[in-house]
Amino acid sequence: MHRSLGRKFFEQERLLRKFGTYATGFGDSHTRIDRIYDWCRATTSQNTARTGFTFVRNFCLFAHAEDPANQVPPAGVFGRGKRPRPTPHIIQPEQVRAIMKAALDLPPKGMISPFTYHYLFGLLAATGLRISEALALQCDDLVEDGLIVRDGKFGKQRLIALQPSIRQALEAYLATRARLGATGNDLFVTIRGRAPHKVRAHVVFVRLARQLGYRGPTGTAGMRLHDLRHTFAVRSLESCSPDRDAVTHHMAALSVYLGHTSVANTYWYLEATPVLLRDIAAASEDLYLGEAA
């Protein structure tokens, strides 16, 4: 049901199957509140317990509607615990260039993988794509009008317009692929002929950022791969005319370009940098003085 609405439901499926195996081991044929509590208490952390409890409770609500013998635990037993949104790090153009250059020195030298990360990070910086969207791209998704994103969030599909320089870079990557004999239908591939996993892409990016001194040691917060998307959005907003109507049109267009389900998600980027906050403060002050006069 959830997947028919466009959700991927991967993590939910993993935990629900895990709970199902646990409960079946005790011979349960219906959901039981005490069994759910015991399963959650056996997890490694409160956050993991809270997440598993939420997924299982939602399933209980669904199951109870079909068979009242399925018990439903009360909500909020393990607390709300909403994780704060990570603070974005706005990446400077020279830092992006340094990371892309460092990617070319990754092992194995003379193979496709270093070029893949070089061009992958460049595409993310230039278009603001999500990493999952970029890794899902196929070779034939590069068309005359731009890039077709077929596997966006919530199953949405959109067309990304490309600057000539971005198209030239992607065509250069495809030529490199052909020269090195790399195979596979995925646009970005490793030596195995498949796109790297997104976790691997995150690890490589963080490793390069640390190597270049842009991020501290393990366990400290800092520059992340997703910050390439943040940076794209913020720079786009900074370049917009301060005219209110222009900003409105720009925000609507940027929301579609980024694949947001609501423009409210795009407005969050207005809080991301001192430049934007300064512009907002100045506009607010002018508005106040105008009304006061």
Side-chain angles (χ1 to χ4, degrees):
M1 182 187 70
H2 279 277
R3 284 172 175 158
S4 68
L5 297 173
R7 300 186 66 185
K8 294 184 177 178
F9 218 67
F10 292 152
E11 183 64 10
Q12 290 90 335
E13 178 187 10
R14 185 184 70 82
L15 289 177
L16 287 174
R17 289 189 180 277
K18 191 173 181 180
F19 171 74
T21 301
Y22 177 84
T24 302
F26 290 93
D28 296 348
S29 57
H30 296 83
T31 59
R32 293 177 47 178
I33 293 177
D34 58 342
R35 194 75 69 212
I36 295 170
Y37 288 166
D38 290 342
W39 179 70
C40 291
R41 293 190 189 103
T43 57
T44 56
S45 69
Q46 185 173 351
N47 284 333
T48 304
R50 184 186 301 115
T51 301
F53 177 80
T54 300
F55 293 162
V56 172
R57 184 177 184 277
N58 288 339
F59 170 73
C60 291
L61 291 169
F62 179 84
H64 180 79
E66 293 193 346
D67 185 349
N70 288 291
Q71 298 177 359
V72 180
V77 172
F78 289 88
R80 299 181 65 181
K82 186 176 181 181
R83 187 178 67 175
R85 195 167 187 175
T87 301
H89 290 74
I90 306 306
I91 306 175
Q92 301 302 317
E94 61 272 16
Q95 292 177 320
V96 175
R97 288 192 291 268
I99 290 172
M100 291 177 62
K101 182 179 179 181
L104 293 174
D105 293 325
L106 290 168
K109 296 298 290 291
M111 305 294 282
I112 190 59
S113 293
F115 295 98
T116 291
Y117 289 111
H118 170 82
Y119 286 100
L120 172 63
F121 296 154
L123 181 67
L124 295 177
T127 62
L129 283 175
R130 301 178 179 94
I131 181 60
S132 58
E133 294 172 338
L135 294 178
L137 290 170
Q138 303 292 293
C139 290
D140 56 5
D141 288 335
L142 179 60
V143 297
E144 184 177 350
D145 295 328
L147 267 178
I148 301 176
V149 178
R150 304 182 190 276
D151 193 22
K153 200 169 184 179
F154 300 110
K156 295 181 66 177
Q157 179 175 308
R158 68 188 190 278
L159 177 68
I160 298 294
L162 298 177
Q163 293 286 344
S165 59
I166 304 174
R167 177 177 292 278
Q168 291 170 8
L170 290 176
E171 289 174 348
Y173 172 65
L174 290 174
T176 301
R177 274 189 50 158
R179 177 173 58 83
L180 295 177
T183 60
N185 294 324
D186 294 330
L187 177 60
F188 294 105
V189 295
T190 62
I191 57 176
R192 295 182 176 85
R194 298 190 302 271
H197 192 277
K198 65 179 182 180
V199 174
R200 178 61 182 168
H202 281 284
V203 169
V204 170
F205 182 86
V206 169
R207 185 177 299 166
L208 293 175
R210 286 200 176 108
Q211 174 185 314
L212 294 167
Y214 300 151
R215 182 174 172 133
T218 303
T220 60
M223 186 185 295
R224 305 169 301 139
L225 181 60
H226 195 66
D227 287 327
L228 292 173
R229 179 172 166 87
H230 282 291
T231 301
F232 173 85
V234 168
R235 297 302 184 212
S236 174
L237 291 171
E238 288 178 352
S239 66
C240 181
S241 167
D243 177 75
R244 182 177 297 182
D245 289 336
V247 171
T248 300
H249 291 303
H250 190 88
M251 291 297 296
L254 182 60
S255 181
V256 173
Y257 190 89
L258 292 174
H260 286 156
T261 56
S262 169
V263 73
N265 296 325
T266 314
Y267 272 102
W268 180 83
Y269 289 105
L270 290 171
E271 306 174 9
T273 67
V275 172
L276 291 175
L277 288 175
R278 184 182 66 238
D279 291 345
I280 293 170
S284 299
E285 183 176 8
D286 290 343
L287 179 63
Y288 172 77
L289 293 176
E291 290 180 348

